[in-house]
Amino acid sequence: MSVTVRVASPLRSYTNGASSVSGVGATVRDVLADLDRRFPGMRFRMIDEQERIRQHIRVYVNTQEAKELGAAVRAGDTVHLICALSGG
């Protein structure tokens, strides 16, 4: 299934500056794996060694936050990859 992936600006160095790319998969996990095949290293910035979404990353499928990688996606959905800002 093809979905649209909106890429947060801190991750755009992986997508050659593209703010939106297509992805394929039935779950968030599948879509991120597809992106990592095409944009090596991108997945590691979002997923930790325990296969969890990193604390500073939020993933939304349409308007619903995906708290787990197994969250379903359907053809035509939009997956938003959002990075939290921090600092002081």
Side-chain angles (χ1 to χ4, degrees), residues 5-49:
V5 182
R6 302 284 183 193
V7 181
S9 57
L11 298 171
R12 291 181 191 164
S13 62
Y14 293 96
T15 61
N16 298 315
S19 62
S20 181
V21 296
S22 63
V24 177
T27 65
V28 169
R29 176 183 286 109
D30 296 341
V31 171
L32 295 181
D34 177 56
L35 293 179
D36 200 56
R37 280 189 289 279
R38 295 180 311 154
F39 309 110
M42 186 174 182
R43 185 179 186 280
F44 180 75
R45 291 278 311 270
M46 297 178 282
I47 306 304
D48 68 17
E49 293 80 7

Side-chain angles (χ1 to χ4, degrees), residues 64-87:
Q64 296 295 314
E65 184 174 4
K67 298 207 180 246
E68 297 185 4
L69 295 174
V73 296
R74 292 186 285 278
D77 282 350
T78 300
V79 176
H80 302 269
L81 305 176
I82 300 170
C83 299
L85 298 176
S86 62

